[in-house]
């Protein structure tokens, strides 16, 4: 692990099961309940804990902001709509790829990126 790396993301939600279903279907994340703390821990495909969804605090559009690499922005946006979320209409185009702001069913915003990976990281603009 390198200094400066994101090692944990906590996403506030209203319904743990609905949110787990949304993120599992959209990104393939897996979830493990941590009922004692009103949260479920999640990991990406292939393992390695990334964070948690929690009912311990309120979701808000200006809250958590994270980016997820995807193979196809249109397919991901369509899936988000089908799953109860959807694109916000904000997009970014940079030298590392195209990105879009997406909203989950609780109103949390996050970025999805169709990346041209060459060692650089995307910087989302709002």
């Amino acid at each position: 692990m390198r200094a400066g790396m994101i090692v944990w993301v906590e996403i506030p939600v209203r319904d743990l099961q609905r949110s787990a279903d949304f993120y599992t279907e959209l990104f393939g994340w897996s979830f493990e309940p941590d009922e004692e703390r009103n949260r479920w821990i999640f990991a990406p495909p292939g393992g390695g804990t990334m964070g948690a969804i929690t009912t311990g605090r309120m979701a808000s559009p200006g809250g958590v902001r994270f980016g997820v690499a995807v193979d196809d922005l249109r397919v991901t946006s369509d899936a988000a709509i089908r799953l109860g979320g959807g694109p916000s209409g904000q997009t970014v185009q940079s030298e590392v790829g195209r990105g879009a702001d997406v909203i989950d069913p609780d109103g949390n915003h996050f970025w999805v990126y169709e990346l041209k990976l060459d060692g650089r990281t995307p910087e989302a603009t709002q």
Side-chain angles (χ1 to χ4, degrees):
M1 189 176 319
R2 296 184 330 245
M5 288 180 63
I6 295 174
V7 297
W8 184 262
V9 173
E10 189 171 84
I11 304 168
V13 301
R14 291 185 302 262
D15 183 311
L16 292 167
Q17 186 64 60
R18 180 188 67 191
S19 296
D21 292 345
F22 177 84
Y23 287 110
T24 297
E25 183 76 21
L26 200 59
F27 299 129
W29 294 353
S30 60
F31 289 82
E32 179 180 319
D34 181 2
E35 302 297 345
E36 186 176 304
R37 296 185 181 168
N38 297 321
R39 66 184 188 179
W40 290 3
I41 307 298
F42 64 87
T49 301
M50 287 182 12
I53 54 175
T54 181
T55 57
R57 57 190 176 85
M58 296 295 296
S60 72
V64 175
R65 199 49 90 104
F66 58 95
V68 179
V70 299
D71 292 326
D72 187 301
L73 282 177
R74 180 167 305 284
V75 168
T76 302
S77 292
D78 290 347
I81 292 167
R82 180 175 46 78
L83 296 167
S88 74
Q90 293 181 344
T91 61
V92 62
Q93 178 70 43
S94 72
E95 63 277 356
V96 297
R98 299 182 312 138
D101 181 56
V102 175
I103 305 168
D104 77 4
D106 289 295
N108 293 299
H109 288 243
F110 57 92
W111 289 94
V112 292
Y113 287 96
E114 190 175 276
L115 300 176
K116 298 180 285 184
L117 297 174
D118 62 2
R120 293 176 287 175
T121 58
E123 293 180 15
T125 57
Q126 297 181 24

PDB file of all heavy atoms in Angstrom, residues 10-14 18-19 22-23 53-54 57-66 85-86 88 101-111:
ATOM      1  N   GLU A  10     -16.868   5.026   2.669  1.00  0.00           N
ATOM      2  CA  GLU A  10     -18.114   4.714   3.361  1.00  0.00           C
ATOM      3  C   GLU A  10     -19.240   5.476   2.670  1.00  0.00           C
ATOM      4  O   GLU A  10     -19.187   6.694   2.550  1.00  0.00           O
ATOM      5  CB  GLU A  10     -18.022   5.108   4.824  1.00  0.00           C
ATOM      6  CG  GLU A  10     -19.200   4.608   5.628  1.00  0.00           C
ATOM      7  CD  GLU A  10     -19.003   4.813   7.108  1.00  0.00           C
ATOM      8  OE1 GLU A  10     -19.303   5.926   7.582  1.00  0.00           O
ATOM      9  OE2 GLU A  10     -18.552   3.874   7.771  1.00  0.00           O
ATOM     10  N   ILE A  11     -20.239   4.739   2.217  1.00  0.00           N
ATOM     11  CA  ILE A  11     -21.343   5.308   1.451  1.00  0.00           C
ATOM     12  C   ILE A  11     -22.603   5.287   2.317  1.00  0.00           C
ATOM     13  O   ILE A  11     -23.083   4.211   2.679  1.00  0.00           O
ATOM     14  CB  ILE A  11     -21.574   4.509   0.155  1.00  0.00           C
ATOM     15  CG1 ILE A  11     -20.286   4.436  -0.669  1.00  0.00           C
ATOM     16  CG2 ILE A  11     -22.713   5.117  -0.647  1.00  0.00           C
ATOM     17  CD1 ILE A  11     -20.339   3.430  -1.806  1.00  0.00           C
ATOM     18  N   PRO A  12     -23.160   6.451   2.667  1.00  0.00           N
ATOM     19  CA  PRO A  12     -24.385   6.473   3.459  1.00  0.00           C
ATOM     20  C   PRO A  12     -25.590   6.103   2.600  1.00  0.00           C
ATOM     21  O   PRO A  12     -25.744   6.601   1.487  1.00  0.00           O
ATOM     22  CB  PRO A  12     -24.476   7.926   3.943  1.00  0.00           C
ATOM     23  CG  PRO A  12     -23.695   8.709   2.949  1.00  0.00           C
ATOM     24  CD  PRO A  12     -22.641   7.794   2.392  1.00  0.00           C
ATOM     25  N   VAL A  13     -26.430   5.212   3.108  1.00  0.00           N
ATOM     26  CA  VAL A  13     -27.604   4.722   2.370  1.00  0.00           C
ATOM     27  C   VAL A  13     -28.787   4.602   3.322  1.00  0.00           C
ATOM     28  O   VAL A  13     -28.619   4.608   4.532  1.00  0.00           O
ATOM     29  CB  VAL A  13     -27.319   3.353   1.702  1.00  0.00           C
ATOM     30  CG1 VAL A  13     -26.141   3.447   0.736  1.00  0.00           C
ATOM     31  CG2 VAL A  13     -27.070   2.262   2.729  1.00  0.00           C
ATOM     32  N   ARG A  14     -29.989   4.480   2.747  1.00  0.00           N
ATOM     33  CA  ARG A  14     -31.200   4.285   3.562  1.00  0.00           C
ATOM     34  C   ARG A  14     -31.539   2.810   3.727  1.00  0.00           C
ATOM     35  O   ARG A  14     -32.117   2.415   4.732  1.00  0.00           O
ATOM     36  CB  ARG A  14     -32.378   5.024   2.935  1.00  0.00           C
ATOM     37  CG  ARG A  14     -32.247   6.538   3.007  1.00  0.00           C
ATOM     38  CD  ARG A  14     -33.492   7.241   2.495  1.00  0.00           C
ATOM     39  NE  ARG A  14     -33.813   6.883   1.124  1.00  0.00           N
ATOM     40  CZ  ARG A  14     -33.495   7.608   0.053  1.00  0.00           C
ATOM     41  NH1 ARG A  14     -32.842   8.732   0.185  1.00  0.00           N
ATOM     42  NH2 ARG A  14     -33.837   7.218  -1.149  1.00  0.00           N
ATOM     43  N   ARG A  18     -31.115  -2.915  -0.627  1.00  0.00           N
ATOM     44  CA  ARG A  18     -31.323  -2.271  -1.928  1.00  0.00           C
ATOM     45  C   ARG A  18     -30.002  -1.727  -2.472  1.00  0.00           C
ATOM     46  O   ARG A  18     -29.682  -1.885  -3.645  1.00  0.00           O
ATOM     47  CB  ARG A  18     -32.339  -1.139  -1.812  1.00  0.00           C
ATOM     48  CG  ARG A  18     -32.585  -0.446  -3.160  1.00  0.00           C
ATOM     49  CD  ARG A  18     -33.422   0.785  -3.047  1.00  0.00           C
ATOM     50  NE  ARG A  18     -32.671   1.793  -2.309  1.00  0.00           N
ATOM     51  CZ  ARG A  18     -33.178   2.919  -1.856  1.00  0.00           C
ATOM     52  NH1 ARG A  18     -34.449   3.191  -2.032  1.00  0.00           N
ATOM     53  NH2 ARG A  18     -32.432   3.774  -1.208  1.00  0.00           N
ATOM     54  N   SER A  19     -29.198  -1.096  -1.620  1.00  0.00           N
ATOM     55  CA  SER A  19     -27.924  -0.533  -2.054  1.00  0.00           C
ATOM     56  C   SER A  19     -26.924  -1.622  -2.430  1.00  0.00           C
ATOM     57  O   SER A  19     -26.207  -1.504  -3.421  1.00  0.00           O
ATOM     58  CB  SER A  19     -27.344   0.359  -0.958  1.00  0.00           C
ATOM     59  OG  SER A  19     -28.213   1.454  -0.746  1.00  0.00           O
ATOM     60  N   PHE A  22     -27.877  -2.838  -5.817  1.00  0.00           N
ATOM     61  CA  PHE A  22     -27.504  -1.845  -6.832  1.00  0.00           C
ATOM     62  C   PHE A  22     -26.019  -1.966  -7.185  1.00  0.00           C
ATOM     63  O   PHE A  22     -25.651  -2.133  -8.348  1.00  0.00           O
ATOM     64  CB  PHE A  22     -27.819  -0.433  -6.315  1.00  0.00           C
ATOM     65  CG  PHE A  22     -27.401   0.671  -7.244  1.00  0.00           C
ATOM     66  CD1 PHE A  22     -28.233   1.067  -8.289  1.00  0.00           C
ATOM     67  CD2 PHE A  22     -26.203   1.336  -7.061  1.00  0.00           C
ATOM     68  CE1 PHE A  22     -27.870   2.106  -9.140  1.00  0.00           C
ATOM     69  CE2 PHE A  22     -25.824   2.370  -7.911  1.00  0.00           C
ATOM     70  CZ  PHE A  22     -26.657   2.749  -8.951  1.00  0.00           C
ATOM     71  N   TYR A  23     -25.155  -1.905  -6.181  1.00  0.00           N
ATOM     72  CA  TYR A  23     -23.709  -1.930  -6.434  1.00  0.00           C
ATOM     73  C   TYR A  23     -23.210  -3.309  -6.886  1.00  0.00           C
ATOM     74  O   TYR A  23     -22.267  -3.407  -7.666  1.00  0.00           O
ATOM     75  CB  TYR A  23     -22.929  -1.430  -5.218  1.00  0.00           C
ATOM     76  CG  TYR A  23     -23.052   0.068  -5.030  1.00  0.00           C
ATOM     77  CD1 TYR A  23     -23.782   0.606  -3.972  1.00  0.00           C
ATOM     78  CD2 TYR A  23     -22.455   0.941  -5.927  1.00  0.00           C
ATOM     79  CE1 TYR A  23     -23.899   1.975  -3.812  1.00  0.00           C
ATOM     80  CE2 TYR A  23     -22.571   2.318  -5.769  1.00  0.00           C
ATOM     81  CZ  TYR A  23     -23.280   2.830  -4.716  1.00  0.00           C
ATOM     82  OH  TYR A  23     -23.399   4.190  -4.568  1.00  0.00           O
ATOM     83  N   ILE A  53     -21.199   0.244   3.032  1.00  0.00           N
ATOM     84  CA  ILE A  53     -22.426   1.025   2.938  1.00  0.00           C
ATOM     85  C   ILE A  53     -22.977   1.061   4.355  1.00  0.00           C
ATOM     86  O   ILE A  53     -22.835   0.095   5.105  1.00  0.00           O
ATOM     87  CB  ILE A  53     -23.441   0.429   1.935  1.00  0.00           C
ATOM     88  CG1 ILE A  53     -23.749  -1.040   2.243  1.00  0.00           C
ATOM     89  CG2 ILE A  53     -22.936   0.594   0.501  1.00  0.00           C
ATOM     90  CD1 ILE A  53     -24.842  -1.659   1.369  1.00  0.00           C
ATOM     91  N   THR A  54     -23.569   2.185   4.756  1.00  0.00           N
ATOM     92  CA  THR A  54     -24.004   2.330   6.141  1.00  0.00           C
ATOM     93  C   THR A  54     -25.319   3.078   6.256  1.00  0.00           C
ATOM     94  O   THR A  54     -25.583   3.981   5.461  1.00  0.00           O
ATOM     95  CB  THR A  54     -22.937   3.063   6.991  1.00  0.00           C
ATOM     96  OG1 THR A  54     -23.397   3.166   8.340  1.00  0.00           O
ATOM     97  CG2 THR A  54     -22.631   4.446   6.446  1.00  0.00           C
ATOM     98  N   ARG A  57     -25.580   7.193   8.915  1.00  0.00           N
ATOM     99  CA  ARG A  57     -25.669   8.629   8.658  1.00  0.00           C
ATOM    100  C   ARG A  57     -26.405   8.849   7.339  1.00  0.00           C
ATOM    101  O   ARG A  57     -26.564   7.929   6.559  1.00  0.00           O
ATOM    102  CB  ARG A  57     -24.302   9.292   8.648  1.00  0.00           C
ATOM    103  CG  ARG A  57     -23.314   8.738   7.683  1.00  0.00           C
ATOM    104  CD  ARG A  57     -21.917   9.330   7.951  1.00  0.00           C
ATOM    105  NE  ARG A  57     -20.945   8.725   7.093  1.00  0.00           N
ATOM    106  CZ  ARG A  57     -20.689   9.116   5.845  1.00  0.00           C
ATOM    107  NH1 ARG A  57     -21.322  10.140   5.328  1.00  0.00           N
ATOM    108  NH2 ARG A  57     -19.787   8.501   5.125  1.00  0.00           N
ATOM    109  N   MET A  58     -26.849  10.068   7.107  1.00  0.00           N
ATOM    110  CA  MET A  58     -27.686  10.387   5.952  1.00  0.00           C
ATOM    111  C   MET A  58     -26.883  10.506   4.656  1.00  0.00           C
ATOM    112  O   MET A  58     -25.779  11.032   4.649  1.00  0.00           O
ATOM    113  CB  MET A  58     -28.422  11.709   6.186  1.00  0.00           C
ATOM    114  CG  MET A  58     -29.399  11.676   7.348  1.00  0.00           C
ATOM    115  SD  MET A  58     -30.771  10.538   7.084  1.00  0.00           S
ATOM    116  CE  MET A  58     -31.560  11.294   5.686  1.00  0.00           C
ATOM    117  N   ALA A  59     -27.477  10.032   3.568  1.00  0.00           N
ATOM    118  CA  ALA A  59     -26.908  10.213   2.239  1.00  0.00           C
ATOM    119  C   ALA A  59     -27.110  11.662   1.811  1.00  0.00           C
ATOM    120  O   ALA A  59     -28.057  12.310   2.221  1.00  0.00           O
ATOM    121  CB  ALA A  59     -27.593   9.291   1.242  1.00  0.00           C
ATOM    122  N   SER A  60     -26.189  12.179   0.996  1.00  0.00           N
ATOM    123  CA  SER A  60     -26.344  13.538   0.476  1.00  0.00           C
ATOM    124  C   SER A  60     -25.592  13.672  -0.836  1.00  0.00           C
ATOM    125  O   SER A  60     -24.544  13.067  -1.027  1.00  0.00           O
ATOM    126  CB  SER A  60     -25.828  14.565   1.475  1.00  0.00           C
ATOM    127  OG  SER A  60     -24.421  14.528   1.540  1.00  0.00           O
ATOM    128  N   PRO A  61     -26.140  14.470  -1.769  1.00  0.00           N
ATOM    129  CA  PRO A  61     -25.486  14.651  -3.069  1.00  0.00           C
ATOM    130  C   PRO A  61     -24.073  15.189  -2.964  1.00  0.00           C
ATOM    131  O   PRO A  61     -23.227  14.879  -3.770  1.00  0.00           O
ATOM    132  CB  PRO A  61     -26.395  15.638  -3.796  1.00  0.00           C
ATOM    133  CG  PRO A  61     -27.718  15.501  -3.135  1.00  0.00           C
ATOM    134  CD  PRO A  61     -27.418  15.154  -1.701  1.00  0.00           C
ATOM    135  N   GLY A  62     -23.770  16.005  -1.957  1.00  0.00           N
ATOM    136  CA  GLY A  62     -22.429  16.577  -1.823  1.00  0.00           C
ATOM    137  C   GLY A  62     -21.506  15.745  -0.955  1.00  0.00           C
ATOM    138  O   GLY A  62     -20.393  16.161  -0.673  1.00  0.00           O
ATOM    139  N   GLY A  63     -21.950  14.556  -0.539  1.00  0.00           N
ATOM    140  CA  GLY A  63     -21.170  13.722   0.376  1.00  0.00           C
ATOM    141  C   GLY A  63     -20.039  12.987  -0.306  1.00  0.00           C
ATOM    142  O   GLY A  63     -19.193  13.571  -0.955  1.00  0.00           O
ATOM    143  N   VAL A  64     -20.036  11.682  -0.195  1.00  0.00           N
ATOM    144  CA  VAL A  64     -18.980  10.827  -0.729  1.00  0.00           C
ATOM    145  C   VAL A  64     -18.856  11.018  -2.235  1.00  0.00           C
ATOM    146  O   VAL A  64     -19.850  11.093  -2.948  1.00  0.00           O
ATOM    147  CB  VAL A  64     -19.296   9.344  -0.421  1.00  0.00           C
ATOM    148  CG1 VAL A  64     -18.291   8.424  -1.076  1.00  0.00           C
ATOM    149  CG2 VAL A  64     -19.327   9.121   1.068  1.00  0.00           C
ATOM    150  N   ARG A  65     -17.639  11.058  -2.731  1.00  0.00           N
ATOM    151  CA  ARG A  65     -17.399  11.132  -4.174  1.00  0.00           C
ATOM    152  C   ARG A  65     -16.263  10.152  -4.469  1.00  0.00           C
ATOM    153  O   ARG A  65     -15.194  10.246  -3.890  1.00  0.00           O
ATOM    154  CB  ARG A  65     -17.005  12.550  -4.536  1.00  0.00           C
ATOM    155  CG  ARG A  65     -17.134  12.958  -5.992  1.00  0.00           C
ATOM    156  CD  ARG A  65     -18.460  12.609  -6.623  1.00  0.00           C
ATOM    157  NE  ARG A  65     -19.458  13.607  -6.517  1.00  0.00           N
ATOM    158  CZ  ARG A  65     -19.835  14.406  -7.485  1.00  0.00           C
ATOM    159  NH1 ARG A  65     -19.263  14.355  -8.654  1.00  0.00           N
ATOM    160  NH2 ARG A  65     -20.796  15.264  -7.300  1.00  0.00           N
ATOM    161  N   PHE A  66     -16.509   9.191  -5.331  1.00  0.00           N
ATOM    162  CA  PHE A  66     -15.487   8.230  -5.713  1.00  0.00           C
ATOM    163  C   PHE A  66     -15.651   7.922  -7.185  1.00  0.00           C
ATOM    164  O   PHE A  66     -16.670   8.226  -7.785  1.00  0.00           O
ATOM    165  CB  PHE A  66     -15.558   6.954  -4.860  1.00  0.00           C
ATOM    166  CG  PHE A  66     -16.884   6.240  -4.919  1.00  0.00           C
ATOM    167  CD1 PHE A  66     -17.083   5.204  -5.809  1.00  0.00           C
ATOM    168  CD2 PHE A  66     -17.920   6.599  -4.074  1.00  0.00           C
ATOM    169  CE1 PHE A  66     -18.303   4.540  -5.877  1.00  0.00           C
ATOM    170  CE2 PHE A  66     -19.146   5.939  -4.121  1.00  0.00           C
ATOM    171  CZ  PHE A  66     -19.333   4.918  -5.027  1.00  0.00           C
ATOM    172  N   GLY A  85     -31.096   4.098 -10.058  1.00  0.00           N
ATOM    173  CA  GLY A  85     -30.278   5.312 -10.030  1.00  0.00           C
ATOM    174  C   GLY A  85     -30.275   5.938 -11.403  1.00  0.00           C
ATOM    175  O   GLY A  85     -31.273   5.865 -12.116  1.00  0.00           O
ATOM    176  N   GLY A  86     -29.154   6.518 -11.791  1.00  0.00           N
ATOM    177  CA  GLY A  86     -29.046   7.047 -13.137  1.00  0.00           C
ATOM    178  C   GLY A  86     -27.997   8.120 -13.267  1.00  0.00           C
ATOM    179  O   GLY A  86     -27.445   8.591 -12.271  1.00  0.00           O
ATOM    180  N   SER A  88     -26.413  11.831 -13.838  1.00  0.00           N
ATOM    181  CA  SER A  88     -26.854  13.170 -13.454  1.00  0.00           C
ATOM    182  C   SER A  88     -26.830  14.133 -14.626  1.00  0.00           C
ATOM    183  O   SER A  88     -27.408  15.206 -14.540  1.00  0.00           O
ATOM    184  CB  SER A  88     -25.954  13.727 -12.353  1.00  0.00           C
ATOM    185  OG  SER A  88     -24.690  14.099 -12.900  1.00  0.00           O
ATOM    186  N   ASP A 101     -21.006  11.445 -14.180  1.00  0.00           N
ATOM    187  CA  ASP A 101     -21.488  11.455 -12.811  1.00  0.00           C
ATOM    188  C   ASP A 101     -22.758  10.606 -12.777  1.00  0.00           C
ATOM    189  O   ASP A 101     -23.647  10.782 -13.603  1.00  0.00           O
ATOM    190  CB  ASP A 101     -21.794  12.899 -12.399  1.00  0.00           C
ATOM    191  CG  ASP A 101     -22.272  13.017 -10.973  1.00  0.00           C
ATOM    192  OD1 ASP A 101     -21.556  12.561 -10.067  1.00  0.00           O
ATOM    193  OD2 ASP A 101     -23.370  13.569 -10.768  1.00  0.00           O
ATOM    194  N   VAL A 102     -22.827   9.671 -11.818  1.00  0.00           N
ATOM    195  CA  VAL A 102     -23.971   8.778 -11.673  1.00  0.00           C
ATOM    196  C   VAL A 102     -24.510   8.937 -10.254  1.00  0.00           C
ATOM    197  O   VAL A 102     -23.762   9.236  -9.324  1.00  0.00           O
ATOM    198  CB  VAL A 102     -23.558   7.308 -11.947  1.00  0.00           C
ATOM    199  CG1 VAL A 102     -24.692   6.345 -11.684  1.00  0.00           C
ATOM    200  CG2 VAL A 102     -23.050   7.166 -13.374  1.00  0.00           C
ATOM    201  N   ILE A 103     -25.817   8.744 -10.113  1.00  0.00           N
ATOM    202  CA  ILE A 103     -26.482   8.865  -8.818  1.00  0.00           C
ATOM    203  C   ILE A 103     -27.038   7.499  -8.435  1.00  0.00           C
ATOM    204  O   ILE A 103     -27.674   6.830  -9.246  1.00  0.00           O
ATOM    205  CB  ILE A 103     -27.633   9.887  -8.886  1.00  0.00           C
ATOM    206  CG1 ILE A 103     -27.116  11.234  -9.409  1.00  0.00           C
ATOM    207  CG2 ILE A 103     -28.304  10.045  -7.527  1.00  0.00           C
ATOM    208  CD1 ILE A 103     -28.209  12.209  -9.786  1.00  0.00           C
ATOM    209  N   ASP A 104     -26.794   7.081  -7.180  1.00  0.00           N
ATOM    210  CA  ASP A 104     -27.361   5.806  -6.721  1.00  0.00           C
ATOM    211  C   ASP A 104     -28.782   6.041  -6.214  1.00  0.00           C
ATOM    212  O   ASP A 104     -29.255   7.188  -6.173  1.00  0.00           O
ATOM    213  CB  ASP A 104     -26.441   5.133  -5.692  1.00  0.00           C
ATOM    214  CG  ASP A 104     -26.487   5.729  -4.298  1.00  0.00           C
ATOM    215  OD1 ASP A 104     -27.291   6.648  -4.029  1.00  0.00           O
ATOM    216  OD2 ASP A 104     -25.706   5.268  -3.448  1.00  0.00           O
ATOM    217  N   PRO A 105     -29.519   4.986  -5.824  1.00  0.00           N
ATOM    218  CA  PRO A 105     -30.909   5.157  -5.394  1.00  0.00           C
ATOM    219  C   PRO A 105     -31.084   6.050  -4.162  1.00  0.00           C
ATOM    220  O   PRO A 105     -32.179   6.537  -3.899  1.00  0.00           O
ATOM    221  CB  PRO A 105     -31.374   3.724  -5.085  1.00  0.00           C
ATOM    222  CG  PRO A 105     -30.516   2.861  -5.939  1.00  0.00           C
ATOM    223  CD  PRO A 105     -29.179   3.558  -5.950  1.00  0.00           C
ATOM    224  N   ASP A 106     -30.012   6.289  -3.391  1.00  0.00           N
ATOM    225  CA  ASP A 106     -30.102   7.142  -2.202  1.00  0.00           C
ATOM    226  C   ASP A 106     -29.679   8.577  -2.462  1.00  0.00           C
ATOM    227  O   ASP A 106     -29.653   9.396  -1.549  1.00  0.00           O
ATOM    228  CB  ASP A 106     -29.256   6.552  -1.068  1.00  0.00           C
ATOM    229  CG  ASP A 106     -29.893   5.299  -0.511  1.00  0.00           C
ATOM    230  OD1 ASP A 106     -30.993   5.413   0.060  1.00  0.00           O
ATOM    231  OD2 ASP A 106     -29.314   4.215  -0.673  1.00  0.00           O
ATOM    232  N   GLY A 107     -29.312   8.900  -3.706  1.00  0.00           N
ATOM    233  CA  GLY A 107     -28.914  10.259  -4.034  1.00  0.00           C
ATOM    234  C   GLY A 107     -27.435  10.526  -3.949  1.00  0.00           C
ATOM    235  O   GLY A 107     -26.993  11.651  -4.153  1.00  0.00           O
ATOM    236  N   ASN A 108     -26.623   9.503  -3.638  1.00  0.00           N
ATOM    237  CA  ASN A 108     -25.173   9.670  -3.625  1.00  0.00           C
ATOM    238  C   ASN A 108     -24.654   9.764  -5.057  1.00  0.00           C
ATOM    239  O   ASN A 108     -25.065   8.990  -5.918  1.00  0.00           O
ATOM    240  CB  ASN A 108     -24.486   8.471  -2.930  1.00  0.00           C
ATOM    241  CG  ASN A 108     -24.810   8.404  -1.465  1.00  0.00           C
ATOM    242  OD1 ASN A 108     -24.496   9.318  -0.720  1.00  0.00           O
ATOM    243  ND2 ASN A 108     -25.454   7.325  -1.057  1.00  0.00           N
ATOM    244  N   HIS A 109     -23.737  10.686  -5.285  1.00  0.00           N
ATOM    245  CA  HIS A 109     -23.120  10.844  -6.604  1.00  0.00           C
ATOM    246  C   HIS A 109     -21.764  10.146  -6.621  1.00  0.00           C
ATOM    247  O   HIS A 109     -21.038  10.178  -5.632  1.00  0.00           O
ATOM    248  CB  HIS A 109     -22.891  12.333  -6.906  1.00  0.00           C
ATOM    249  CG  HIS A 109     -24.145  13.077  -7.189  1.00  0.00           C
ATOM    250  ND1 HIS A 109     -24.390  13.665  -8.398  1.00  0.00           N
ATOM    251  CD2 HIS A 109     -25.229  13.338  -6.411  1.00  0.00           C
ATOM    252  CE1 HIS A 109     -25.567  14.267  -8.370  1.00  0.00           C
ATOM    253  NE2 HIS A 109     -26.096  14.085  -7.168  1.00  0.00           N
ATOM    254  N   PHE A 110     -21.437   9.524  -7.743  1.00  0.00           N
ATOM    255  CA  PHE A 110     -20.101   8.963  -7.942  1.00  0.00           C
ATOM    256  C   PHE A 110     -19.777   9.044  -9.422  1.00  0.00           C
ATOM    257  O   PHE A 110     -20.648   9.234 -10.254  1.00  0.00           O
ATOM    258  CB  PHE A 110     -19.990   7.519  -7.417  1.00  0.00           C
ATOM    259  CG  PHE A 110     -20.979   6.566  -8.030  1.00  0.00           C
ATOM    260  CD1 PHE A 110     -20.638   5.831  -9.163  1.00  0.00           C
ATOM    261  CD2 PHE A 110     -22.230   6.386  -7.470  1.00  0.00           C
ATOM    262  CE1 PHE A 110     -21.549   4.945  -9.729  1.00  0.00           C
ATOM    263  CE2 PHE A 110     -23.146   5.502  -8.030  1.00  0.00           C
ATOM    264  CZ  PHE A 110     -22.805   4.784  -9.163  1.00  0.00           C
ATOM    265  N   TRP A 111     -18.496   8.932  -9.748  1.00  0.00           N
ATOM    266  CA  TRP A 111     -18.041   9.003 -11.139  1.00  0.00           C
ATOM    267  C   TRP A 111     -17.767   7.612 -11.670  1.00  0.00           C
ATOM    268  O   TRP A 111     -17.248   6.752 -10.944  1.00  0.00           O
ATOM    269  CB  TRP A 111     -16.771   9.846 -11.243  1.00  0.00           C
ATOM    270  CG  TRP A 111     -17.044  11.294 -11.027  1.00  0.00           C
ATOM    271  CD1 TRP A 111     -16.953  11.970  -9.834  1.00  0.00           C
ATOM    272  CD2 TRP A 111     -17.475  12.239 -11.988  1.00  0.00           C
ATOM    273  NE1 TRP A 111     -17.309  13.278 -10.018  1.00  0.00           N
ATOM    274  CE2 TRP A 111     -17.632  13.474 -11.337  1.00  0.00           C
ATOM    275  CE3 TRP A 111     -17.752  12.171 -13.353  1.00  0.00           C
ATOM    276  CZ2 TRP A 111     -18.037  14.626 -12.001  1.00  0.00           C
ATOM    277  CZ3 TRP A 111     -18.159  13.323 -14.010  1.00  0.00           C
ATOM    278  CH2 TRP A 111     -18.301  14.526 -13.325  1.00  0.00           C
TER     279      TRP A 111
END
